[in-house]
Amino acid sequence: MSPTRLVEVRQNVLNKNDLAARALRQRFEEAGVCAISMVSSPGSGKTALLERILTTMRERYRVAALVGDLATENDASRLARSLAPVRQIQTGTICHLDASMVGCALEGWRLEEIDFLFLENVGNLVCPASYDLGENARMVLLSVTEGEDKPLKYPTIFHSADAAIITKIDLAEAVEFDRTLAHGNIQAVRPGIRILEVSAKTGCGIEHLLEWISERRLHVD
Amino acid sequence: MSPTRLVEVRQNVLNKNDLAARALRQRFEEAGVCAISMVSSPGSGKTALLERILTTMRERYRVAALVGDLATENDASRLARSLAPVRQIQTGTICHLDASMVGCALEGWRLEEIDFLFLENVGNLVCPASYDLGENARMVLLSVTEGEDKPLKYPTIFHSADAAIITKIDLAEAVEFDRTLAHGNIQAVRPGIRILEVSAKTGCGIEHLLEWISERRLHVD
């Protein structure tokens, strides 16, 4: 297959996803759901952070989550401890969530009973960038252990995000994390983006993150 | 596009890669090159480890490396400090290396003057699993900071590897790394696989890794 043909095929798949994402976005809007997606490398701490978010937010809001993984239902089981409704999407060999997977996973849920719906993508800093999930906002996570250069090396996904969340900040000292360099690299790729630093383990920075998330809903109501 | 058609297209791309990989493998064999690839999440420490490997091995062997990244030539610049020949492959928006990219990047190099060629893939625990690069052996890296469950969540790439390298072992205590659990999960996905623990920072475990790498060459000569 020629590269041109491959690009065409990819384009068709993406166009199909854009249509599905548009339909999802309309459903979310009509039901008053604020959808927030999370993307990152494997192991950046999406699930740990999401558990903390769900546990804290469910005191004030009706929250739910869909979590994507190639295999296992580990994440959904972990998140079930938050007592929020959670469903796992097993993608098999597919390296990202797409809008139709999200649509199918919502089957049977009454959207109008959800204030915030979190969409945790498969751990991958490349492919999820291109797939609109109909979300209101996208958070990209970067752990302090991954290296400050990641935004420069994976610019597309940082560019597609509305906030950059630096995770595992409790390990910053142990890994000699260079905060100025990391912030500079994020801003170089996505000027003006909101950067928040958190630790799901200690709870540090979580309040500011929840504030940012809650503000996303103002755009929905 | 129907899912069936998408699978077909993917199959064609993979078949084309298999042909290119077969040709590469033959070139490597004829020239007496032992090619070793490295796959992992972004930020697992592939480049730091590769720098350590190149610097140490070039005292005894003729070593060279190709490093893949979406953007930037940062890795090649870092690795140039090892004084080994290194070239960067910029993949743009493509989330993995393929055999034809490797073939093109070798242009002008005299393969018979290389004993070990390292191929550092784009940071991604999903897509690179499916692309044979004509390598003699594949190392999958997992850093202690990523969580012990990664082999279960990304089984395909662990299953495609010949050795699992646990990196950043100097941080094991700080992140409360559960060695038994990690080893168990790796073995569950790929029974019998060689597991090595290293720290590119302190040098711990590097000797055993270099031994394992050197042994790969016995299969080449």
Side-chain angles (χ1 to χ4, degrees):
Chain A
M1 176 171 301
S2 73
T4 325
R5 179 82 190 93
L6 184 57
V7 168
E8 253 175 54
V9 166
R10 199 161 172 235
Q11 203 55 53
N12 288 343
V13 174
L14 288 177
N15 289 348
K16 195 186 153 197
N17 185 72
D18 283 344
L19 292 176
R22 198 180 300 169
L24 261 185
R25 188 165 279 117
Q26 198 176 338
R27 283 180 64 191
F28 291 153
E29 197 180 324
E30 286 169 6
V33 174
C34 178
I36 309 273
S37 70
M38 303 169 80
V39 291
S40 82
S41 298
S44 294
K46 288 183 295 304
T47 312
L49 183 59
L50 185 51
E51 186 177 357
R52 177 71 86 149
I53 290 172
L54 294 176
T55 308
T56 319
M57 285 190 77
R58 68 183 290 279
E59 292 166 13
R60 289 190 53 200
Y61 297 103
R62 298 166 300 175
V63 292
L66 299 178
V67 290
D69 252 315
L70 303 193
T72 84
E73 300 221 337
N74 294 2
D75 287 356
S77 312
R78 263 173 86 182
L79 292 171
R81 297 188 299 211
S82 71
L83 302 180
V86 176
R87 276 188 187 159
Q88 185 90 37
I89 303 176
Q90 287 191 9
T91 64
T93 58
I94 310 287
C95 53
H96 56 268
L97 290 182
D98 66 28
S100 67
M101 292 178 201
V102 172
C104 291
L106 292 173
E107 194 67 41
W109 271 2
R110 294 177 53 86
L111 286 184
E112 58 274 23
E113 293 175 2
I114 299 174
D115 298 321
F116 286 96
L117 174 67
F118 293 90
L119 307 169
E120 181 188 332
N121 217 312
V122 175
N124 185 329
L125 266 190
V126 189
C127 316
S130 314
Y131 291 82
D132 182 359
L133 303 180
E135 68 267 63
N136 298 81
R138 180 179 290 187
M139 307 193 290
V140 60
L141 276 62
L142 169 72
S143 81
V144 296
T145 66
E146 287 169 50
E148 298 82 357
D149 60 345
K150 292 302 158 291
L152 303 179
K153 294 172 85 176
Y154 301 85
T156 313
I157 206 151
F158 280 84
H159 196 71
S160 79
D162 301 289
I165 318 297
I166 300 178
T167 58
K168 306 191 189 182
I169 202 74
D170 54 293
L171 293 174
E173 205 172 322
V175 298
E176 297 164 34
F177 177 65
D178 185 334
R179 171 173 288 112
T180 311
L181 183 59
H183 282 240
N185 287 343
I186 293 169
Q187 294 291 349
V189 171
R190 181 77 153 126
I193 192 175
R194 179 72 182 274
I195 303 176
L196 292 151
E197 299 187 352
V198 303
S199 164
K201 194 172 172 184
T202 66
C204 166
I206 296 292
E207 272 313 308
H208 285 115
L209 174 60
L210 296 186
E211 215 168 90
W212 183 84
I213 292 172
S214 302
E215 284 166 9
R216 292 319 95 195
R217 190 142 190 270
L218 300 178
H219 304 286
V220 176
D221 285 338
Chain B
M1 176 173 302
S2 72
T4 323
R5 177 85 189 92
L6 185 57
V7 168
E8 253 174 53
V9 166
R10 199 160 173 235
Q11 203 56 53
N12 287 342
V13 174
L14 288 179
N15 289 347
K16 196 185 153 199
N17 185 72
D18 283 343
L19 291 177
R22 198 180 299 170
L24 262 185
R25 188 165 280 118
Q26 198 174 340
R27 283 180 65 191
F28 292 152
E29 196 179 323
E30 285 169 5
V33 173
C34 178
I36 309 274
S37 70
M38 302 168 79
V39 293
S40 82
S41 298
S44 295
K46 287 184 294 305
T47 313
L49 183 59
L50 186 50
E51 187 177 357
R52 177 69 86 150
I53 291 172
L54 293 177
T55 308
T56 318
M57 285 191 79
R58 68 182 290 280
E59 293 167 12
R60 289 189 53 200
Y61 297 102
R62 297 167 302 175
V63 292
L66 299 178
V67 289
D69 252 318
L70 302 193
T72 85
E73 299 220 339
N74 294 3
D75 287 354
S77 312
R78 264 173 84 182
L79 293 172
R81 298 187 298 209
S82 71
L83 303 180
V86 176
R87 277 189 185 154
Q88 184 90 38
I89 303 176
Q90 286 189 10
T91 63
T93 57
I94 311 286
C95 53
H96 58 268
L97 291 182
D98 67 28
S100 66
M101 292 179 199
V102 172
C104 292
L106 291 173
E107 193 67 40
W109 272 1
R110 293 176 54 84
L111 287 184
E112 57 275 22
E113 294 175 0
I114 299 174
D115 298 321
F116 287 95
L117 173 68
F118 293 90
L119 307 170
E120 181 188 332
N121 218 312
V122 175
N124 185 328
L125 267 191
V126 190
C127 316
S130 314
Y131 290 83
D132 183 359
L133 303 180
E135 68 268 64
N136 298 81
R138 180 178 290 186
M139 305 192 291
V140 61
L141 276 61
L142 169 73
S143 81
V144 296
T145 65
E146 287 168 49
E148 298 81 359
D149 59 345
K150 291 302 158 290
L152 302 179
K153 293 171 87 174
Y154 301 86
T156 313
I157 205 151
F158 279 84
H159 196 71
S160 79
D162 302 288
I165 318 296
I166 300 178
T167 59
K168 307 192 188 179
I169 202 74
D170 53 294
L171 294 173
E173 206 172 321
V175 300
E176 297 164 34
F177 177 66
D178 186 335
R179 172 172 288 112
T180 311
L181 184 58
H183 283 239
N185 287 342
I186 294 169
Q187 295 291 353
V189 170
R190 180 80 152 124
I193 193 175
R194 180 71 184 273
I195 303 176
L196 291 150
E197 300 187 351
V198 302
S199 164
K201 194 170 172 187
T202 66
C204 165
I206 296 292
E207 273 313 308
H208 284 115
L209 174 59
L210 296 187
E211 214 169 273
W212 183 84
I213 292 173
S214 303
E215 285 166 9
R216 291 320 97 195
R217 192 145 186 268
L218 301 177
H219 304 286
V220 177
D221 289 338

